[in-house]
Amino acid sequence: MLDKTFDPKTAEPRLYQAWEASGGFAPTDDPNAEPFSIVIPPPNVTGSLHIGHALNNTLQDVLIRFERMRGKAALWLPGTDHAGIATQMVVERQLAQAGNQSRRDMGRDDFVAKVWEWKAQSGGTIVNQLRRLGASCDWSRERFTLDEGLSAAVRKVFVQLHKEKLIYRDKRLVNWDPHFQTAISDLEVEAREVDGHYWHFAYPLEDGSGEIVVATTRPETMLGDTAVAVHPDDERYKAVVGKAVRLPIVNRPIPIIADEYPDPEKGSGAVKITPAHDFNDFAVGKRHSLPMINIFDDFARINDNAPPEYRGLDRFEARKKVIAAFEELGLLREIEKTRHTVPHGDRSGVVVEPYLTDQWYVAADVLAKPAIKAVEEGDTVFVPKNWEKTYFEWMRNIQPWCVSRQLWWGHRIPAWYGPSLDPEAKDKHTAKVFVAETAEEALDEARRFYGPDVAVEVDDNFPGWEKVNGVFSKVRLKQDEDVLDTWFSSGLWPFSTMGWPEKTSDLARFYPTHTLITGFDIIFFWVARMMMQGLHFTGEVPFKRVFINALVRDASGAKMSKSKGNVLDPLELVDEFGADALRFTLTAMSGQARDIKLSRQRIEGYRNFGTKLWNASRFCQVNGCARAEGFDPAAVKAPLNRWIVGETQRTAAAVTAALDGCGFDETANGLYRFIWNQFCDWYVELAKPLLTGADEAAKAETQATAAWVLDVILKLLHPVMPFITEELWQQTADLGAARAERQLMTARWPDLPASLVDAAADAEIGLIIDTITEGRSVRQGLNVPLSAQPPLLVIEARPEQRAVLGASAALVARLLRVSGVEFVEAAPAGSIPFVVDGATLALPVAEFIDIAAERARLTKEVASLAGEIEKTAKKLGNADFIARAPEEVVEENRERLADAQAAKAKLEAALARLQTV
RNA sequence: GGACGUGUAGCUCAGCGGGAGAGCACCUCGUUGACAUCGAGGGGGUCACAGGUUCAAUCCCUGUCACGUCCA
């Protein structure tokens, strides 16, 4: 017999191992099976499973298990992302803690070797955590973004985009992270609102005729000012445009220029222009050909372009010193408090600086066009659809994508530099770039470029050349030091993981993938990039559907964060409640476009749901419910069995439709209601007399039906609660006829015909359920003691209702705790009537009850019916309603009115009788 | 400033043109042969506010207020 409860702790690892060993996670190789594929949003290799992963991966697993059971060749391709900055950060921190050398002291090769070493040791953490969740990924296909195959794809993409002029090198302002000393993309910048100040500085006019006041939140940048700008229409400054001011501290004359950029309404209307350290100023500088003076080094310390006393100062130190200097010079006009947004690095948390550097850019606007079109035309659809707006908004305003990063961990940019043939070129050692997939190819290209008389080799440490008689005799190429943005490689994920650019069978079969399930926070970072790169390189969308899952928050709606201490660790929750309970909770709460506020209580409730199912199965087992050979659900006779068969069909159809459309919450809620409120609460209770009764045929039929329903339940619930269902499947394997499938995970999804629904059985069981429910309400409302067992009196009822109530007397007796069902002409004095579906029933319990309480109950009921009658009558009295509303709505209201009037009359009569008692 | 989303029972949310729902919490009763991780019953809501469309509005439209998120 089944144990009293399911023990997830011991069962889950055992079941998972069995699944994995069975090979069932891999897609079937049946060539007739329709392919269905999902690629995992690769978690950072540094990561450990947080609740957001748990949600995202649960939904993917629900979908993949569903499609697998539907007989498709279901592939869920897993893997991890090398996560450039994040991983480098983690390893650097660990090296520091262990008292090791810093990255720079170590050197590139040794450091990268360390990271690989670290990855080998702890990189598998998150993957194993996914196993604990029950994720049925095909681990034989697991990929890592730095795998050789994926790296080859990255190089090929880079080279091809370069050939197409969609990747280019450019000197412009980037968001510079001084902590990591790397460029980061716009998306990695987080605007934080902080308290700050506007410092109003006076710049004296060169000719001594006055001053012009500018305000800034970043005083230190004045060291790099190369102009002051005013609006051309600003009358106040018309006279000074074209003159110069003498920049204090620096003592440099800079022009006053007219440009549309300054807003005359703001501040003094004049703004300082620092082209090398502000995005707006950069544009102004370009328009006016202003010099661009960079005043920072890579650490955002002041460099040698500033006066000597500032050199080497940290930017914030420099700020203080600049302000002090202005004060001393008597040029500090005002300090104004303000709240403003300041860009921060999302990883480092430090203030990022606009910084003038050479970087590699992708012409994202070109790649975006087909990606926009694909969504416009429905080749890829978003669920929920409104996320398409977000996608369009960003894609239509897309900026060049800075893809180079000054890091060591990642895909090194496949570009090699050599000297220009022009001896006067700037950056003379690296003025010529050769972009190629391998060093050999770069060398070949370089040989062609420099000619047959020049020896060419790669030497990262000693770039340069040797000359004989003024011409090159030997050239040494140096590979670009930088690596690519992590998202550059994740953007290839749907096809690089399947072996592209090789024409693999996986690529042919599983690309494009079907559904991508991910969070809205990476629509720009990832979804958009996959769309762009996927379309460009494969000519097809990478996925046909994108399901955007919600964000998980704590029970009070706050974003979970370690610093707030409100993090719910999914693994602890799995330990405490089992993976199924967590999965069910996340699935039930995954309502679209909404935050999920997770509470332990909710998980506990769904753990209880599992226990409920477990015990219902136990009940069935104890009562000999075994599968019957050749059982045909359409052929059952007992109304109760016909009813549950119909309900099972309805549920199966609803769940199938819901899962088809990513309606995860509907799926979970529908199953919960069916299993608990229909199967357990009513079917099992109503079946008890049949299972213990003398009618052997009815008993056998009920046993077989219960076993059949349970098998369907296990299948339907399996995608959401795989462990407990698989365990029940295994443990009930020996009950009755053998099943076609020994393993539930790969069993066939139920496909039941709608003809299994029997309206007559529905009506019959509905009447019994309503009778019991109403009767209980009367009993308990009047505090009739449990020991009291009056008969149930049927006073007025339609013939078919009489038949049903008569036939189910034993059932009603048991569940309503009455002695039996009796048919009488009129309600005896002191009996308590109630109305069910137009039938008048009564319980003769006068001696047990408080007359006043009963009077109160009836009065209340009558009043509520009166309200309903008034409302409905008013509606029916409206000629427009009769004329314009659909006939069935009018009819429904007529019936409602008639029912309410009849019920009210009956209860009023009862109330009148009660007055005389 | 722009975009999107959300305001429904004490809490978390579902419903989204025709009788206000669930889970939890709360109150009462209950250990009857699956289950106290349980069963039965009950209380509790001007569906944010104001207009409009409609025979009919929690649901559609407009505006207001509040909250959230993203982009400037």
mmCIF file with all atom_site columns, all heavy atoms in Angstrom, chain A residues 549-551 591-596, chain B residues 6-8 13-14:
data_model
loop_
_atom_site.group_PDB
_atom_site.id
_atom_site.type_symbol
_atom_site.label_atom_id
_atom_site.label_alt_id
_atom_site.label_comp_id
_atom_site.label_asym_id
_atom_site.label_entity_id
_atom_site.label_seq_id
_atom_site.pdbx_PDB_ins_code
_atom_site.Cartn_x
_atom_site.Cartn_y
_atom_site.Cartn_z
_atom_site.occupancy
_atom_site.B_iso_or_equiv
_atom_site.pdbx_formal_charge
_atom_site.auth_seq_id
_atom_site.auth_comp_id
_atom_site.auth_asym_id
_atom_site.auth_atom_id
_atom_site.pdbx_PDB_model_num
ATOM 1   N N     . ASN A 1 549 ? 7.636   35.858 -19.164 1.00 0.00 ? 549 ASN A N     1
ATOM 2   C CA    . ASN A 1 549 ? 7.130   35.537 -17.828 1.00 0.00 ? 549 ASN A CA    1
ATOM 3   C C     . ASN A 1 549 ? 7.319   36.704 -16.866 1.00 0.00 ? 549 ASN A C     1
ATOM 4   O O     . ASN A 1 549 ? 8.088   37.626 -17.120 1.00 0.00 ? 549 ASN A O     1
ATOM 5   C CB    . ASN A 1 549 ? 7.733   34.238 -17.279 1.00 0.00 ? 549 ASN A CB    1
ATOM 6   C CG    . ASN A 1 549 ? 9.234   34.287 -17.092 1.00 0.00 ? 549 ASN A CG    1
ATOM 7   O OD1   . ASN A 1 549 ? 9.952   33.528 -17.726 1.00 0.00 ? 549 ASN A OD1   1
ATOM 8   N ND2   . ASN A 1 549 ? 9.735   35.164 -16.236 1.00 0.00 ? 549 ASN A ND2   1
ATOM 9   N N     . ALA A 1 550 ? 6.563   36.643 -15.812 1.00 0.00 ? 550 ALA A N     1
ATOM 10  C CA    . ALA A 1 550 ? 6.528   37.754 -14.860 1.00 0.00 ? 550 ALA A CA    1
ATOM 11  C C     . ALA A 1 550 ? 7.797   37.798 -14.020 1.00 0.00 ? 550 ALA A C     1
ATOM 12  O O     . ALA A 1 550 ? 8.663   36.929 -14.111 1.00 0.00 ? 550 ALA A O     1
ATOM 13  C CB    . ALA A 1 550 ? 5.312   37.614 -13.964 1.00 0.00 ? 550 ALA A CB    1
ATOM 14  N N     . LEU A 1 551 ? 7.871   38.822 -13.213 1.00 0.00 ? 551 LEU A N     1
ATOM 15  C CA    . LEU A 1 551 ? 9.003   38.997 -12.312 1.00 0.00 ? 551 LEU A CA    1
ATOM 16  C C     . LEU A 1 551 ? 8.578   38.533 -10.929 1.00 0.00 ? 551 LEU A C     1
ATOM 17  O O     . LEU A 1 551 ? 7.481   38.848 -10.476 1.00 0.00 ? 551 LEU A O     1
ATOM 18  C CB    . LEU A 1 551 ? 9.355   40.484 -12.282 1.00 0.00 ? 551 LEU A CB    1
ATOM 19  C CG    . LEU A 1 551 ? 10.712  40.857 -11.718 1.00 0.00 ? 551 LEU A CG    1
ATOM 20  C CD1   . LEU A 1 551 ? 11.795  40.389 -12.661 1.00 0.00 ? 551 LEU A CD1   1
ATOM 21  C CD2   . LEU A 1 551 ? 10.780  42.352 -11.523 1.00 0.00 ? 551 LEU A CD2   1
ATOM 22  N N     . GLY A 1 591 ? 0.491   34.259 -13.912 1.00 0.00 ? 591 GLY A N     1
ATOM 23  C CA    . GLY A 1 591 ? -0.432  35.119 -14.665 1.00 0.00 ? 591 GLY A CA    1
ATOM 24  C C     . GLY A 1 591 ? 0.362   36.178 -15.398 1.00 0.00 ? 591 GLY A C     1
ATOM 25  O O     . GLY A 1 591 ? 1.342   36.699 -14.895 1.00 0.00 ? 591 GLY A O     1
ATOM 26  N N     . GLN A 1 592 ? -0.097  36.470 -16.575 1.00 0.00 ? 592 GLN A N     1
ATOM 27  C CA    . GLN A 1 592 ? 0.766   37.195 -17.501 1.00 0.00 ? 592 GLN A CA    1
ATOM 28  C C     . GLN A 1 592 ? 0.963   38.659 -17.123 1.00 0.00 ? 592 GLN A C     1
ATOM 29  O O     . GLN A 1 592 ? 0.079   39.276 -16.573 1.00 0.00 ? 592 GLN A O     1
ATOM 30  C CB    . GLN A 1 592 ? 0.168   37.067 -18.886 1.00 0.00 ? 592 GLN A CB    1
ATOM 31  C CG    . GLN A 1 592 ? 0.033   35.608 -19.251 1.00 0.00 ? 592 GLN A CG    1
ATOM 32  C CD    . GLN A 1 592 ? -0.735  35.380 -20.508 1.00 0.00 ? 592 GLN A CD    1
ATOM 33  O OE1   . GLN A 1 592 ? -1.368  36.279 -21.004 1.00 0.00 ? 592 GLN A OE1   1
ATOM 34  N NE2   . GLN A 1 592 ? -0.662  34.170 -21.029 1.00 0.00 ? 592 GLN A NE2   1
ATOM 35  N N     . ALA A 1 593 ? 2.118   39.174 -17.483 1.00 0.00 ? 593 ALA A N     1
ATOM 36  C CA    . ALA A 1 593 ? 2.408   40.605 -17.382 1.00 0.00 ? 593 ALA A CA    1
ATOM 37  C C     . ALA A 1 593 ? 2.208   41.149 -15.978 1.00 0.00 ? 593 ALA A C     1
ATOM 38  O O     . ALA A 1 593 ? 1.677   42.214 -15.774 1.00 0.00 ? 593 ALA A O     1
ATOM 39  C CB    . ALA A 1 593 ? 1.528   41.381 -18.351 1.00 0.00 ? 593 ALA A CB    1
ATOM 40  N N     . ARG A 1 594 ? 2.624   40.426 -15.025 1.00 0.00 ? 594 ARG A N     1
ATOM 41  C CA    . ARG A 1 594 ? 2.313   40.776 -13.665 1.00 0.00 ? 594 ARG A CA    1
ATOM 42  C C     . ARG A 1 594 ? 3.481   40.345 -12.784 1.00 0.00 ? 594 ARG A C     1
ATOM 43  O O     . ARG A 1 594 ? 4.198   39.439 -13.119 1.00 0.00 ? 594 ARG A O     1
ATOM 44  C CB    . ARG A 1 594 ? 1.080   39.975 -13.266 1.00 0.00 ? 594 ARG A CB    1
ATOM 45  C CG    . ARG A 1 594 ? 0.342   40.528 -12.143 1.00 0.00 ? 594 ARG A CG    1
ATOM 46  C CD    . ARG A 1 594 ? -0.995  39.862 -12.064 1.00 0.00 ? 594 ARG A CD    1
ATOM 47  N NE    . ARG A 1 594 ? -2.076  40.810 -12.217 1.00 0.00 ? 594 ARG A NE    1
ATOM 48  C CZ    . ARG A 1 594 ? -2.264  41.848 -11.423 1.00 0.00 ? 594 ARG A CZ    1
ATOM 49  N NH1   . ARG A 1 594 ? -1.450  42.096 -10.433 1.00 0.00 ? 594 ARG A NH1   1
ATOM 50  N NH2   . ARG A 1 594 ? -3.259  42.653 -11.602 1.00 0.00 ? 594 ARG A NH2   1
ATOM 51  N N     . ASP A 1 595 ? 3.599   41.012 -11.697 1.00 0.00 ? 595 ASP A N     1
ATOM 52  C CA    . ASP A 1 595 ? 4.615   40.576 -10.752 1.00 0.00 ? 595 ASP A CA    1
ATOM 53  C C     . ASP A 1 595 ? 4.068   39.405 -9.953  1.00 0.00 ? 595 ASP A C     1
ATOM 54  O O     . ASP A 1 595 ? 2.882   39.328 -9.696  1.00 0.00 ? 595 ASP A O     1
ATOM 55  C CB    . ASP A 1 595 ? 4.957   41.699 -9.778  1.00 0.00 ? 595 ASP A CB    1
ATOM 56  C CG    . ASP A 1 595 ? 5.484   42.911 -10.514 1.00 0.00 ? 595 ASP A CG    1
ATOM 57  O OD1   . ASP A 1 595 ? 6.012   42.740 -11.615 1.00 0.00 ? 595 ASP A OD1   1
ATOM 58  O OD2   . ASP A 1 595 ? 5.347   44.014 -9.983  1.00 0.00 ? 595 ASP A OD2   1
ATOM 59  N N     . ILE A 1 596 ? 4.951   38.534 -9.569  1.00 0.00 ? 596 ILE A N     1
ATOM 60  C CA    . ILE A 1 596 ? 4.534   37.415 -8.732  1.00 0.00 ? 596 ILE A CA    1
ATOM 61  C C     . ILE A 1 596 ? 5.004   37.681 -7.318  1.00 0.00 ? 596 ILE A C     1
ATOM 62  O O     . ILE A 1 596 ? 6.185   37.843 -7.071  1.00 0.00 ? 596 ILE A O     1
ATOM 63  C CB    . ILE A 1 596 ? 5.141   36.099 -9.251  1.00 0.00 ? 596 ILE A CB    1
ATOM 64  C CG1   . ILE A 1 596 ? 4.540   35.778 -10.610 1.00 0.00 ? 596 ILE A CG1   1
ATOM 65  C CG2   . ILE A 1 596 ? 4.891   34.984 -8.270  1.00 0.00 ? 596 ILE A CG2   1
ATOM 66  C CD1   . ILE A 1 596 ? 5.044   34.501 -11.201 1.00 0.00 ? 596 ILE A CD1   1
ATOM 67  P P     . U   B 2 6   ? -3.049  45.837 -16.971 1.00 0.00 ? 6   U   B P     1
ATOM 68  O OP1   . U   B 2 6   ? -3.641  44.507 -17.168 1.00 0.00 ? 6   U   B OP1   1
ATOM 69  O OP2   . U   B 2 6   ? -3.646  47.035 -17.601 1.00 0.00 ? 6   U   B OP2   1
ATOM 70  O "O5'" . U   B 2 6   ? -2.934  46.133 -15.409 1.00 0.00 ? 6   U   B "O5'" 1
ATOM 71  C "C5'" . U   B 2 6   ? -2.272  45.205 -14.556 1.00 0.00 ? 6   U   B "C5'" 1
ATOM 72  C "C4'" . U   B 2 6   ? -2.177  45.787 -13.173 1.00 0.00 ? 6   U   B "C4'" 1
ATOM 73  O "O4'" . U   B 2 6   ? -1.358  46.987 -13.198 1.00 0.00 ? 6   U   B "O4'" 1
ATOM 74  C "C3'" . U   B 2 6   ? -3.482  46.291 -12.599 1.00 0.00 ? 6   U   B "C3'" 1
ATOM 75  O "O3'" . U   B 2 6   ? -4.259  45.211 -12.122 1.00 0.00 ? 6   U   B "O3'" 1
ATOM 76  C "C2'" . U   B 2 6   ? -2.996  47.225 -11.498 1.00 0.00 ? 6   U   B "C2'" 1
ATOM 77  O "O2'" . U   B 2 6   ? -2.526  46.516 -10.379 1.00 0.00 ? 6   U   B "O2'" 1
ATOM 78  C "C1'" . U   B 2 6   ? -1.804  47.885 -12.187 1.00 0.00 ? 6   U   B "C1'" 1
ATOM 79  N N1    . U   B 2 6   ? -2.144  49.178 -12.805 1.00 0.00 ? 6   U   B N1    1
ATOM 80  C C2    . U   B 2 6   ? -2.215  50.279 -11.957 1.00 0.00 ? 6   U   B C2    1
ATOM 81  O O2    . U   B 2 6   ? -2.036  50.197 -10.759 1.00 0.00 ? 6   U   B O2    1
ATOM 82  N N3    . U   B 2 6   ? -2.515  51.472 -12.578 1.00 0.00 ? 6   U   B N3    1
ATOM 83  C C4    . U   B 2 6   ? -2.742  51.666 -13.919 1.00 0.00 ? 6   U   B C4    1
ATOM 84  O O4    . U   B 2 6   ? -2.993  52.800 -14.323 1.00 0.00 ? 6   U   B O4    1
ATOM 85  C C5    . U   B 2 6   ? -2.651  50.480 -14.719 1.00 0.00 ? 6   U   B C5    1
ATOM 86  C C6    . U   B 2 6   ? -2.358  49.308 -14.157 1.00 0.00 ? 6   U   B C6    1
ATOM 87  P P     . G   B 2 7   ? -5.787  45.431 -11.747 1.00 0.00 ? 7   G   B P     1
ATOM 88  O OP1   . G   B 2 7   ? -6.430  44.117 -11.776 1.00 0.00 ? 7   G   B OP1   1
ATOM 89  O OP2   . G   B 2 7   ? -6.363  46.581 -12.496 1.00 0.00 ? 7   G   B OP2   1
ATOM 90  O "O5'" . G   B 2 7   ? -5.602  45.874 -10.241 1.00 0.00 ? 7   G   B "O5'" 1
ATOM 91  C "C5'" . G   B 2 7   ? -6.701  46.348 -9.515  1.00 0.00 ? 7   G   B "C5'" 1
ATOM 92  C "C4'" . G   B 2 7   ? -6.223  47.317 -8.468  1.00 0.00 ? 7   G   B "C4'" 1
ATOM 93  O "O4'" . G   B 2 7   ? -5.412  48.336 -9.079  1.00 0.00 ? 7   G   B "O4'" 1
ATOM 94  C "C3'" . G   B 2 7   ? -7.423  47.996 -7.810  1.00 0.00 ? 7   G   B "C3'" 1
ATOM 95  O "O3'" . G   B 2 7   ? -7.342  47.885 -6.395  1.00 0.00 ? 7   G   B "O3'" 1
ATOM 96  C "C2'" . G   B 2 7   ? -7.363  49.436 -8.286  1.00 0.00 ? 7   G   B "C2'" 1
ATOM 97  O "O2'" . G   B 2 7   ? -7.627  50.317 -7.219  1.00 0.00 ? 7   G   B "O2'" 1
ATOM 98  C "C1'" . G   B 2 7   ? -5.911  49.604 -8.765  1.00 0.00 ? 7   G   B "C1'" 1
ATOM 99  N N9    . G   B 2 7   ? -5.826  50.463 -9.958  1.00 0.00 ? 7   G   B N9    1
ATOM 100 C C8    . G   B 2 7   ? -5.682  50.092 -11.267 1.00 0.00 ? 7   G   B C8    1
ATOM 101 N N7    . G   B 2 7   ? -5.610  51.107 -12.091 1.00 0.00 ? 7   G   B N7    1
ATOM 102 C C5    . G   B 2 7   ? -5.709  52.210 -11.261 1.00 0.00 ? 7   G   B C5    1
ATOM 103 C C6    . G   B 2 7   ? -5.694  53.594 -11.576 1.00 0.00 ? 7   G   B C6    1
ATOM 104 O O6    . G   B 2 7   ? -5.581  54.131 -12.668 1.00 0.00 ? 7   G   B O6    1
ATOM 105 N N1    . G   B 2 7   ? -5.828  54.381 -10.436 1.00 0.00 ? 7   G   B N1    1
ATOM 106 C C2    . G   B 2 7   ? -5.972  53.894 -9.156  1.00 0.00 ? 7   G   B C2    1
ATOM 107 N N2    . G   B 2 7   ? -6.097  54.804 -8.187  1.00 0.00 ? 7   G   B N2    1
ATOM 108 N N3    . G   B 2 7   ? -5.984  52.611 -8.847  1.00 0.00 ? 7   G   B N3    1
ATOM 109 C C4    . G   B 2 7   ? -5.840  51.834 -9.943  1.00 0.00 ? 7   G   B C4    1
ATOM 110 P P     . U   B 2 8   ? -7.732  46.446 -5.757  1.00 0.00 ? 8   U   B P     1
ATOM 111 O OP1   . U   B 2 8   ? -8.053  46.790 -4.358  1.00 0.00 ? 8   U   B OP1   1
ATOM 112 O OP2   . U   B 2 8   ? -6.683  45.471 -6.048  1.00 0.00 ? 8   U   B OP2   1
ATOM 113 O "O5'" . U   B 2 8   ? -9.068  45.956 -6.463  1.00 0.00 ? 8   U   B "O5'" 1
ATOM 114 C "C5'" . U   B 2 8   ? -10.299 46.574 -6.131  1.00 0.00 ? 8   U   B "C5'" 1
ATOM 115 C "C4'" . U   B 2 8   ? -11.408 45.569 -6.176  1.00 0.00 ? 8   U   B "C4'" 1
ATOM 116 O "O4'" . U   B 2 8   ? -11.481 44.985 -7.505  1.00 0.00 ? 8   U   B "O4'" 1
ATOM 117 C "C3'" . U   B 2 8   ? -11.214 44.350 -5.283  1.00 0.00 ? 8   U   B "C3'" 1
ATOM 118 O "O3'" . U   B 2 8   ? -11.536 44.623 -3.929  1.00 0.00 ? 8   U   B "O3'" 1
ATOM 119 C "C2'" . U   B 2 8   ? -12.175 43.375 -5.943  1.00 0.00 ? 8   U   B "C2'" 1
ATOM 120 O "O2'" . U   B 2 8   ? -13.511 43.716 -5.676  1.00 0.00 ? 8   U   B "O2'" 1
ATOM 121 C "C1'" . U   B 2 8   ? -11.868 43.626 -7.424  1.00 0.00 ? 8   U   B "C1'" 1
ATOM 122 N N1    . U   B 2 8   ? -10.770 42.784 -7.927  1.00 0.00 ? 8   U   B N1    1
ATOM 123 C C2    . U   B 2 8   ? -11.070 41.478 -8.276  1.00 0.00 ? 8   U   B C2    1
ATOM 124 O O2    . U   B 2 8   ? -12.183 41.009 -8.187  1.00 0.00 ? 8   U   B O2    1
ATOM 125 N N3    . U   B 2 8   ? -10.008 40.746 -8.733  1.00 0.00 ? 8   U   B N3    1
ATOM 126 C C4    . U   B 2 8   ? -8.706  41.156 -8.863  1.00 0.00 ? 8   U   B C4    1
ATOM 127 O O4    . U   B 2 8   ? -7.870  40.387 -9.290  1.00 0.00 ? 8   U   B O4    1
ATOM 128 C C5    . U   B 2 8   ? -8.468  42.511 -8.470  1.00 0.00 ? 8   U   B C5    1
ATOM 129 C C6    . U   B 2 8   ? -9.489  43.256 -8.021  1.00 0.00 ? 8   U   B C6    1
ATOM 130 P P     . C   B 2 13  ? -0.482  40.472 -5.957  1.00 0.00 ? 13  C   B P     1
ATOM 131 O OP1   . C   B 2 13  ? 0.644   40.288 -6.886  1.00 0.00 ? 13  C   B OP1   1
ATOM 132 O OP2   . C   B 2 13  ? -0.891  41.819 -5.546  1.00 0.00 ? 13  C   B OP2   1
ATOM 133 O "O5'" . C   B 2 13  ? -1.781  39.714 -6.477  1.00 0.00 ? 13  C   B "O5'" 1
ATOM 134 C "C5'" . C   B 2 13  ? -2.019  39.494 -7.834  1.00 0.00 ? 13  C   B "C5'" 1
ATOM 135 C "C4'" . C   B 2 13  ? -2.881  38.266 -7.984  1.00 0.00 ? 13  C   B "C4'" 1
ATOM 136 O "O4'" . C   B 2 13  ? -3.675  38.042 -6.793  1.00 0.00 ? 13  C   B "O4'" 1
ATOM 137 C "C3'" . C   B 2 13  ? -3.944  38.342 -9.070  1.00 0.00 ? 13  C   B "C3'" 1
ATOM 138 O "O3'" . C   B 2 13  ? -3.383  38.089 -10.344 1.00 0.00 ? 13  C   B "O3'" 1
ATOM 139 C "C2'" . C   B 2 13  ? -4.883  37.223 -8.664  1.00 0.00 ? 13  C   B "C2'" 1
ATOM 140 O "O2'" . C   B 2 13  ? -4.381  35.968 -8.992  1.00 0.00 ? 13  C   B "O2'" 1
ATOM 141 C "C1'" . C   B 2 13  ? -4.886  37.380 -7.139  1.00 0.00 ? 13  C   B "C1'" 1
ATOM 142 N N1    . C   B 2 13  ? -6.030  38.168 -6.647  1.00 0.00 ? 13  C   B N1    1
ATOM 143 C C2    . C   B 2 13  ? -7.310  37.584 -6.686  1.00 0.00 ? 13  C   B C2    1
ATOM 144 O O2    . C   B 2 13  ? -7.426  36.438 -7.129  1.00 0.00 ? 13  C   B O2    1
ATOM 145 N N3    . C   B 2 13  ? -8.373  38.290 -6.243  1.00 0.00 ? 13  C   B N3    1
ATOM 146 C C4    . C   B 2 13  ? -8.202  39.522 -5.772  1.00 0.00 ? 13  C   B C4    1
ATOM 147 N N4    . C   B 2 13  ? -9.273  40.173 -5.342  1.00 0.00 ? 13  C   B N4    1
ATOM 148 C C5    . C   B 2 13  ? -6.913  40.148 -5.729  1.00 0.00 ? 13  C   B C5    1
ATOM 149 C C6    . C   B 2 13  ? -5.867  39.441 -6.178  1.00 0.00 ? 13  C   B C6    1
ATOM 150 P P     . A   B 2 14  ? -4.093  38.663 -11.629 1.00 0.00 ? 14  A   B P     1
ATOM 151 O OP1   . A   B 2 14  ? -3.162  38.411 -12.731 1.00 0.00 ? 14  A   B OP1   1
ATOM 152 O OP2   . A   B 2 14  ? -4.567  40.043 -11.369 1.00 0.00 ? 14  A   B OP2   1
ATOM 153 O "O5'" . A   B 2 14  ? -5.384  37.722 -11.762 1.00 0.00 ? 14  A   B "O5'" 1
ATOM 154 C "C5'" . A   B 2 14  ? -5.218  36.393 -12.183 1.00 0.00 ? 14  A   B "C5'" 1
ATOM 155 C "C4'" . A   B 2 14  ? -6.520  35.624 -12.213 1.00 0.00 ? 14  A   B "C4'" 1
ATOM 156 O "O4'" . A   B 2 14  ? -7.206  35.690 -10.945 1.00 0.00 ? 14  A   B "O4'" 1
ATOM 157 C "C3'" . A   B 2 14  ? -7.608  36.062 -13.169 1.00 0.00 ? 14  A   B "C3'" 1
ATOM 158 O "O3'" . A   B 2 14  ? -7.291  35.781 -14.514 1.00 0.00 ? 14  A   B "O3'" 1
ATOM 159 C "C2'" . A   B 2 14  ? -8.742  35.173 -12.680 1.00 0.00 ? 14  A   B "C2'" 1
ATOM 160 O "O2'" . A   B 2 14  ? -8.545  33.836 -13.055 1.00 0.00 ? 14  A   B "O2'" 1
ATOM 161 C "C1'" . A   B 2 14  ? -8.553  35.293 -11.165 1.00 0.00 ? 14  A   B "C1'" 1
ATOM 162 N N9    . A   B 2 14  ? -9.482  36.284 -10.609 1.00 0.00 ? 14  A   B N9    1
ATOM 163 C C8    . A   B 2 14  ? -9.222  37.510 -10.066 1.00 0.00 ? 14  A   B C8    1
ATOM 164 N N7    . A   B 2 14  ? -10.282 38.164 -9.660  1.00 0.00 ? 14  A   B N7    1
ATOM 165 C C5    . A   B 2 14  ? -11.326 37.301 -9.972  1.00 0.00 ? 14  A   B C5    1
ATOM 166 C C6    . A   B 2 14  ? -12.722 37.391 -9.800  1.00 0.00 ? 14  A   B C6    1
ATOM 167 N N6    . A   B 2 14  ? -13.315 38.434 -9.252  1.00 0.00 ? 14  A   B N6    1
ATOM 168 N N1    . A   B 2 14  ? -13.473 36.351 -10.224 1.00 0.00 ? 14  A   B N1    1
ATOM 169 C C2    . A   B 2 14  ? -12.875 35.300 -10.774 1.00 0.00 ? 14  A   B C2    1
ATOM 170 N N3    . A   B 2 14  ? -11.574 35.089 -10.987 1.00 0.00 ? 14  A   B N3    1
ATOM 171 C C4    . A   B 2 14  ? -10.847 36.142 -10.560 1.00 0.00 ? 14  A   B C4    1
#
